[in-house]
Amino acid sequence: MKMPRLRLLPLLIVLFLFHSSVDAADTNISHKKTFIIHMDKSYMPESFDDHLQWYDASLKSVSHSADMLYSYNNVIHGYSVQLTVEEAKLLEEHPGIISVQEDVVYELHTTRSPEFLGLLNTGALLPQSSKSSDVIIGVLDTGVTPELSSFDDKELGPVPSIWKGTCEVGKSFSASSCNRKLIGARFFLKGYESAYGPIDETIESKSPRDDDGHGTHTATTAAGSTVVGASLFGFAAGTARGMAPHARVAAYKVCWIGGCVSSDILAAMDMAIADGVNILSLSLGGSVSEYFRDTVAIGAFAATSKGILVSTSAGNGGPSEGALSNVAPWMTTVGAGTMDRQFPSHVTLGNGRKLTGVSLYKGKPLARSVQLVYAGNASSMSTGNLCMKGSLIPERVRGKIVLCDRGLNPRTEKGLVVKDAGGIGMILSNTDTYGEELVADSHFIPTAAVGLIAGNEVRDYITSTHNPTATIVSGDTQLGIQPSPVVAAFSSRGPNPITPEILKPDLIAPGVNILAGWTGKVGPTGLREDTRRVDFNIVSGTSMACPHVSGLAALIKGAHPEWSPAAIRSALMTTAYSKYKNGERIQDVATGTASSPFDYGSGHVNPVSALDPGLVYDAAEEDYINFLCAIKYSSAMIKLITKRDYTCRTDKEYSIGDLNYPSFSVSLQTASGPNGGSSTTSVVKYTRTLTNMGQPASYKVSISQETKEVKIVVIPEVLKFSKPNEKKTYTVTFTADSMPSGTTSFAHLEWSDGKHIVSSPIAFSWT
């Protein structure tokens, strides 16, 4: 799907989180599971000197043999432990226990991107960027490869004084593995080993070392040092650097061969807060039904309340609707777009037709035309068209190019299947799911990955020709591809599955064919059979988009250290662009048509403008608590997220529309009329507050919209700011005619002083 197979991990970089509550568990199961115990510290009896003694006493009351895996102090109050389901149920009944939740598994969801984002001449464009050397980015992932030139520290001064972390020692990782760039590294596996047993140290390092590649890739994308002459097999050659090359990196290894366990993630976030990070980057996530059940959301709330911006990947569930991960409004949710770079591979059919796909193959070329066969006609399996392991009949593919359909197994594994059966080339065709999306891979045989239209043409040629033939010729790196960016087909889309009134994703960033650092432990495909070793790899996914925003947030934090996480996110969102220079909206590669705010949020990140946004939509912890009241969370639910005793006021009307968010998502009602038609009017009012981050100025509002069925009124129409940090509030009233259920429409609201444009998307949904 979006990146090479990570040995036994499923392909999707971000998949689903499977949640099981204690109530739903089978009470007949007697073997132990890991549970996260949320405690209410205010219940601690006076007989205990500290909360750890109290935790241990409560635990020993149900199990004399159980020992705590982790205790948590910053993200929640509580601990994790292995218990039987029966013991967990008993513990849940004790005073002071807020909840007992079963451990769950999350899974893992550049030479060109700095230039593509306008960051090539950093000194001229970003005069404050050197201050990013005081900013620390914590990366929760598969670990880090410290020897890479991307972690060179020669241009950096002493480690920032706020840093309280350490460099943990383990297999193939010493204290000297850290330096002034990679200032800290830790690993967390107690929860993982409790669930899966001891790790196999012949496969994985019991240390912060990255045996997978994903963590090294995300860390170097965010903050890799400048490396001249970087490439993958000569592709994407140039000078590689992260978004914030002077920022510091702290690596927290929480993901292993079987996934990322919530108790380990929570422990890492807890430690990262104590260590002193400024930015948290998490290219992982899952699907949850409630914020108070989401480990990442709970940890992110604690981090945000302490001034730490949390950047997360939106997931790779696109182009289906509503498949988003990490949708809490206190997190920054990042989708993926393309850049203007591609790696062409050319197919010439026997009828003279020339088709273009992509590939990162650099081996022996296929210099002649050979027979072409469709895998579905050369297989003993019903899914033979997908080139699954053992599916191809050698006598039918030997010495031929094989047309394989994309899906189920890794793209690069399909080439190995063809090779093992005797095939000498592969054309990899997209299906309806992927449309014209082209993702390049480091294939083992001459390959061209083509879009749906070209794939159908090849398939038709094979069925209509007595002796179909083809040849494949790999190209090189091609720049200037237009249109760009386009929304990646795999990038997860809205609407927000938990709170539709909060528009997610927040924005998109480069996430297709991204070159960044890689581990020496595995080849560029991540497959066991791949013996090639590289320092840089080209990978795709929202996992790659997330660290772009993490690094850009570090640049803004360096330039404006006093800005809150909400202010930084607002600056990135309100300066993002959703149209090309010709005025057309950013395209969706899945459909070939215009995308919408449900696909790109506020638009594609524009970092230079984000440094001077003019105005921002700021928010603090209290605003998010009011939001939780607005979605009718109980005091117990709120405490699970915030650790605070808070009761929503009965004399106050809470509204989701009052959360000071930089974008708008408006749910409108449809009512059936007497003759089956629809007839009703919805009136929705949102309130927003803007903070002036610049000089005195007068901002005027303007509205652009697609539909006449919604009347939009903004009061006041002009906001006059006389000094920096001054706040002004406005209201937006949406009066909408009824439309058929499922109808969507979009608009934009902009404030401008003639120099700055503060832009917010508006998404309307009739339900």
Side-chain angles (χ1 to χ4, degrees), residues 127-159:
Q128 301 292 329
S129 64
S130 61
K131 290 185 179 179
S132 65
S133 64
D134 293 330
V135 180
I136 303 166
I137 304 175
V139 181
L140 273 67
D141 215 296
T142 64
V144 67
T145 304
E147 300 84 12
L148 292 181
S149 299
S150 297
F151 295 113
D152 190 290
D153 66 350
K154 63 178 179 294
E155 296 183 357
L156 297 172
V159 173

Side-chain angles (χ1 to χ4, degrees), residues 669-682 736-741 766:
Q669 293 184 350
T670 295
S672 297
N675 298 316
S678 57
S679 58
T680 189
T681 300
S682 295
D737 294 335
S738 181
M739 297 286 285
S741 181
W766 280 264

